[in-house]
Amino acid sequence: AVRMTQSPSSFSASTGDRVTITCRASQDISSYLAWYQQKPGKAPKLLIYAASTLQSGVPSRFSGSGSGTDFTLTVSYLQSEDFATYYCHQYYNYPLTFGQGTKVEVK
Amino acid sequence: EVQLVESGGDLVQPGGSLRLSCAASGFTFSSSAMSWVRQAPGKGLEWVSYISHDGTTKYYADSVKGRFAISKDNAKNSLYLQMNSLRVEDTALYYCTKDQGFCSGGKCYRWGDYWGQGTLVTVSS
């Protein structure tokens, strides 16, 4: 199975910050990567697919990049509603796998 | 509006069985692949199973292979997960997802674009 490793596992940030989360795949997955946001007690929400395509309705402050094994999710200007846990997800091969999550907390 | 409503979660003893359901609305269910994803309390997301739009292709995580069975009834707009030989480590919130994607070169690539709110399965004696 493709192992997905996110870094960092958690960090603190302030509103207005530019934040970047990294996801590394254990093998080449081309651009078959999605990013999800999950808030406490809520279902995950799709933010980005195909590594860099923004899902309809997702604010443009979110962006994704990368291909192969290294990917990033960037929030250009962190808003209060962006404090959450973020997961990367590869859909290149079954079994599908997720990263362990990155929790973005209020500084 | 896409809606996915899971049900069937319960407290069950190890070795027991449970059948989860997911009622779908707001999209053409018969044309959509679907999946189950679970999340143990306080833990991350774990993909469980996938089924193609017509039910002919199914995939399972190694952790559930041989014990769980996914199915869908396009006439009832419903997705199911039959869970047998349940273990303590199957305790989790189970989400159903509507999948979007495409096929290329004989291979299909699907990811969940809509998620239900989940149904809780607790396996404990």
Side-chain angles (χ1 to χ4, degrees):
Chain A
V2 180
R3 185 168 62 253
M4 306 300 291
T5 305
Q6 290 181 232
S7 60
S9 295
S10 66
F11 66 96
S12 301
S14 300
T15 302
D17 285 351
R18 177 185 178 90
V19 302
T20 298
I21 297 169
T22 297
C23 177
R24 175 163 288 176
S26 62
Q27 67 181 71
D28 188 341
I29 60 168
S30 186
S31 296
Y32 298 109
L33 183 104
W35 288 97
Y36 293 91
Q37 176 194 66
Q38 187 179 34
K39 297 180 181 179
K42 299 294 186 181
K45 172 188 173 184
L46 176 66
L47 299 176
I48 286 169
Y49 60 94
S52 61
T53 303
L54 209 60
Q55 173 71 351
S56 176
V58 174
S60 59
R61 63 181 180 272
F62 290 93
S63 64
S65 65
S67 67
T69 60
D70 294 310
F71 303 87
T72 59
L73 172 70
T74 299
V75 187
S76 61
Y77 191 86
L78 203 64
Q79 300 290 290
S80 58
E81 60 267 32
D82 301 335
F83 292 98
T85 299
Y86 294 85
Y87 294 92
C88 62
H89 170 55
Q90 70 81 18
Y91 51 92
Y92 177 71
N93 264 347
Y94 287 92
L96 307 186
T97 47
F98 291 88
Q100 82 278 15
T102 295
K103 187 174 184 179
V104 181
E105 299 175 295
V106 177
K107 183 181 286 183
Chain B
E1 179 194 3
V2 172
Q3 284 202 317
L4 299 168
V5 180
E6 302 94 336
S7 61
D10 204 348
L11 171 63
V12 61
Q13 291 189 338
S17 297
L18 215 51
R19 188 195 197 205
L20 305 184
S21 299
C22 172
S25 61
F27 63 100
T28 305
F29 185 76
S30 59
S31 300
S32 186
M34 303 288 293
S35 293
W36 289 97
V37 177
R38 68 184 181 184
Q39 186 169 35
K43 302 298 184 182
L45 302 171
E46 179 187 16
W47 172 81
V48 174
S49 186
Y50 161 90
I51 187 167
S52 59
H53 70 286
D54 58 2
T56 57
T57 300
K58 303 175 185 180
Y59 298 113
Y60 298 93
D62 288 345
S63 57
V64 307
K65 201 174 296 183
R67 300 187 298 122
F68 290 10
I70 192 170
S71 62
K72 70 193 304 259
D73 186 333
N74 287 337
K76 294 183 178 180
N77 283 1
S78 292
L79 174 72
Y80 306 101
L81 187 67
Q82 178 66 42
M83 310 164 69
N84 299 327
S85 302
L86 281 161
R87 304 168 180 168
V88 171
E89 54 265 34
D90 294 321
T91 294
L93 187 63
Y94 284 74
Y95 296 101
C96 72
T97 76
K98 168 187 168 295
D99 292 350
Q100 67 166 302
F102 63 97
C103 297
S104 174
K107 189 175 178 181
C108 294
Y109 304 91
R110 308 279 187 205
W111 61 95
D113 59 349
Y114 289 92
W115 297 53
Q117 287 306 302
T119 186
L120 183 62
V121 173
T122 303
V123 185
S124 174
S125 54

